[in-house]
Amino acid sequence: MCLFSFLVLIIFSFAFGTGLKSFKGIIPGILWVAFIFSGLLGLSRSFGVERDKGTLPGLLLCPVSPWEIFLAKMIGTLIFTVIMEIFTLLVFTILYNQNFLPFLLPLGLVIFLGTLGFSIIGTIFSAMSSTTRTRDVMLSILVFPISVPVIIAAVKATGLILDGTSIQTVFSWLKILVAFDFVFLLLAYLTFGFIMEE
Amino acid sequence: MVELQKQEYIIEARGLVKKFGFKTALRKVDLFLKKGDCLALFGPNGAGKTTLIQTLCSLMRPTSGEVVIAGFDTRYDREALHKIIGVIAHDTFLYNNLTASENLNFYGRMYHVTRLNEKIKELINLVGLNAYINDQVQTFSRGMQQRLSVARAIIHDPAILFLDEPYTGLDQQGIEDLKQLLMKFRNQGKTIILTSHNLSRGLELCNQAAILNAGVLIYQEDIANIKKDDFKQLYLKLTGEKTWPVQAPLRASSKNSRRSCGKISYPN
């Protein structure tokens, strides 16, 4: 994941350079493209071990609810994705000579909420697509369209934070991110048992 | 009456139907077993044995019908149910990149097994994998993985065992060891459902036999009432399964066959 995000940043640095006049405007886009594309690699491994080795029934036979399995998988994905994002921010700082330190707290909050939403959707669809033959392609096809609201909200909020706008302006986008996370977490709670069975 | 049955039977399956799209794998299967019963479930390939086992142990939701095990409905009380059942299936459910000990440690922790380290040593000793306790499962042969799978299935000392072709991949010593182990479980009063293609092995171990054919439970009887020598003929008659000696000459005489609408028919 880290290597992939590093390559994405390298490609963007060649494509746009840093001398672009409106470079600041595309920073959020570059960051989130790197986050989402690299995160997808991690998502495809979320149920990878169970899928490849046929251990999923063994896991489902343990005295834990499907919801607990979902939470464990989702938190695992979240942790690895956040590590990748910290790495990406560091590489971005070096490659593009950007200083994120003044915005670290609000930026961290947006990245966390965006990544949480992405991890929730990704874990649901990773479980759904794990039994299909074209699972890796299927995962991208399923996850990207559903993640559009979270990506838009995260990119907009990141842009506003980097512009130095007040937190009140960013707040409306944060509310969308929180609502999105909540709705999909609820959806996962209600449906993950059925997804696991079939 | 229903209340009486609930007390009387530890496994109750009523009107089980399982459909996969247009294909019906189980057709109104009723199965009742008392505590300590050991059922050998026979049937030809594709009869629905694995589907029945998976439905009984809650891995599959039946299209209709209900399964109640020890008072736990498989649709609603899965966590409580999983504490009292152990499953051995075609797949071993083992993580290949973990060692034998790590696999048992993982599953033991999932089942909240107390004195886990001692239990792991005891089980590894029981299945004869002492020398390989710290080896990764991916280096194991199929038979060794199956042995470890047995240890995995019984790590939480389940009262009910579902065994789907448990002898798969085992060598003669492994088969003998597993047979002894299952005898021990039976004597301990554990309830066992075992699917097998080996009639004599199933009859030897269990006190009940059942035959499933095309998703229908067509026969269930106490083994005490079965003449073991005649059971094979009965099985073949009920399932309509052809034995190799009948099919082999026909295959050999394929020059006498004729193709019609994509199907090959052989002269009688």
Side-chain angles (χ1 to χ4, degrees):
Chain A
M1 285 164 76
C2 289
L3 180 66
F4 188 80
S5 80
F6 176 70
L7 291 174
V8 169
L9 293 184
I10 291 280
I11 288 166
F12 275 125
S13 77
F14 282 128
F16 297 123
T18 49
L20 203 68
K21 272 185 181 176
S22 57
F23 181 71
K24 209 168 181 183
I26 59 170
I27 290 176
I30 294 175
L31 271 179
W32 279 97
V33 165
F35 290 165
I36 298 292
F37 279 19
S38 310
L40 200 69
L41 283 183
L43 283 179
S44 66
R45 296 307 304 158
S46 180
F47 280 88
V49 180
E50 279 78 16
R51 180 186 67 203
D52 297 341
K53 312 299 176 199
T55 54
L56 192 57
L59 202 57
L60 294 174
L61 282 167
C62 295
V64 291
S65 66
W67 167 244
E68 287 170 288
I69 295 174
F70 169 81
L71 275 185
K73 289 287 182 188
M74 193 273 289
I75 290 169
T77 305
L78 183 67
I79 289 170
F80 281 109
T81 311
V82 166
I83 291 170
M84 175 273 293
E85 286 167 348
I86 292 167
F87 172 82
T88 306
L89 281 175
L90 287 173
V91 172
F92 197 97
T93 306
I94 296 163
L95 279 181
Y96 296 90
N97 197 24
Q98 292 291 319
N99 184 11
F100 293 113
L101 275 178
F103 322 106
L104 208 54
L105 269 179
L107 189 64
L109 182 65
V110 169
I111 289 175
F112 176 77
L113 289 174
T115 310
L116 179 64
F118 182 72
S119 302
I120 293 167
I121 301 167
T123 308
I124 295 172
F125 287 113
S126 177
M128 277 173 78
S129 62
S130 65
T131 51
T132 60
R133 246 186 294 178
T134 53
R135 48 199 163 236
D136 292 328
V137 179
M138 203 66 174
L139 185 62
S140 318
I141 291 170
L142 291 168
V143 167
F144 283 139
I146 307 286
S147 309
V148 165
V150 85
I151 295 169
I152 291 173
V155 168
K156 290 284 182 189
T158 307
L160 289 170
I161 287 168
L162 294 181
D163 280 346
T165 321
S166 67
I167 195 75
Q168 277 76 16
T169 324
V170 183
F171 197 63
S172 59
W173 293 109
L174 287 181
K175 278 196 286 189
I176 292 176
L177 283 175
V178 170
F180 187 91
D181 293 353
F182 177 75
V183 166
F184 275 90
L185 209 55
L186 189 66
L187 194 74
Y189 179 75
L190 295 174
T191 62
F192 205 71
F194 296 102
I195 293 170
M196 286 285 92
E197 273 178 38
E198 301 303 326
Chain B
M1 182 65 184
V2 174
E3 282 305 310
L4 183 71
Q5 280 186 341
K6 273 187 181 172
Q7 288 169 359
E8 196 176 354
Y9 297 107
I10 194 163
I11 295 178
E12 304 167 68
R14 286 192 185 85
L16 278 190
V17 175
K18 180 66 189 175
K19 291 182 181 178
F20 298 101
F22 294 112
K23 195 187 169 198
T24 306
L26 296 176
R27 300 161 195 267
K28 295 256 174 203
V29 173
D30 292 311
L31 184 69
F32 297 92
L33 289 180
K34 291 175 185 170
K35 187 177 182 297
D37 275 348
C38 179
L39 174 78
L41 184 63
F42 303 111
N45 291 328
K49 300 186 296 293
T50 299
T51 305
L52 179 58
I53 292 281
Q54 291 191 346
T55 310
L56 290 175
C57 68
S58 85
L59 276 175
M60 266 184 200
R61 194 176 282 254
T63 309
S64 65
E66 63 166 8
V67 181
V68 179
I69 293 178
F72 301 119
D73 191 313
T74 55
R75 289 167 299 182
Y76 312 115
D77 310 311
R78 293 161 58 110
E79 288 163 62
L81 169 69
H82 292 170
K83 285 179 188 168
I84 58 161
I85 64 169
V87 180
I88 300 170
H90 298 293
D91 289 327
T92 56
F93 307 156
L94 298 169
Y95 291 88
N96 280 1
N97 53 342
L98 299 184
T99 65
S101 154
E102 286 167 345
N103 264 288
L104 293 185
N105 191 42
F106 171 74
Y107 280 107
R109 285 168 66 183
M110 292 295 275
Y111 283 98
H112 308 291
V113 175
T114 52
R115 299 188 298 111
L116 185 56
N117 288 336
E118 290 169 43
K119 184 81 180 174
I120 290 171
K121 279 178 192 163
E122 181 192 320
L123 286 173
I124 288 281
N125 187 38
L126 187 72
V127 296
L129 291 174
N130 280 339
Y132 309 98
I133 188 167
N134 291 319
D135 289 2
Q136 284 194 339
V137 168
Q138 61 194 355
T139 64
F140 284 14
S141 70
R142 178 73 179 87
M144 289 160 74
Q145 289 188 16
Q146 191 68 0
R147 282 166 182 258
L148 188 60
S149 175
V150 172
R152 172 199 58 74
I154 59 173
I155 194 159
H156 56 298
D157 197 20
I160 303 165
L161 282 167
F162 294 100
L163 313 169
D164 190 9
E165 300 285 354
Y167 299 106
T168 307
L170 291 177
D171 55 19
Q172 285 307 311
Q173 187 58 46
I175 289 170
E176 201 50 46
D177 290 347
L178 182 58
K179 211 156 62 178
Q180 295 304 321
L181 193 63
L182 294 179
M183 289 278 192
K184 188 177 147 196
F185 290 154
R186 205 193 66 182
N187 295 336
Q188 284 173 352
K190 290 186 193 297
T191 309
I192 300 172
I193 295 186
L194 163 112
T195 74
S196 178
H197 287 291
N198 191 313
L199 302 181
S200 57
R201 213 173 278 151
L203 294 176
E204 197 179 341
L205 176 76
C206 296
N207 66 345
Q208 285 195 40
I211 298 174
L212 191 71
N213 190 32
V216 183
L217 198 66
I218 53 174
Y219 178 88
Q220 189 177 354
E221 186 61 75
D222 273 5
I223 282 182
N225 301 330
I226 297 173
K227 286 182 181 171
K228 290 184 184 174
D229 296 337
D230 299 338
F231 188 73
K232 187 178 176 186
Q233 289 309 316
L234 177 73
Y235 170 79
L236 293 174
K237 188 180 158 192
L238 288 175
T239 59
E241 200 180 339
K242 298 280 188 294
T243 53
W244 278 104
V246 177
Q247 288 181 343
L250 292 177
R251 283 192 172 193
S253 62
S254 60
K255 62 180 180 183
N256 296 325
S257 68
R258 61 191 172 84
R259 189 176 283 273
S260 168
C261 298
K263 289 181 178 175
I264 299 173
S265 61
Y266 296 99
N268 290 322

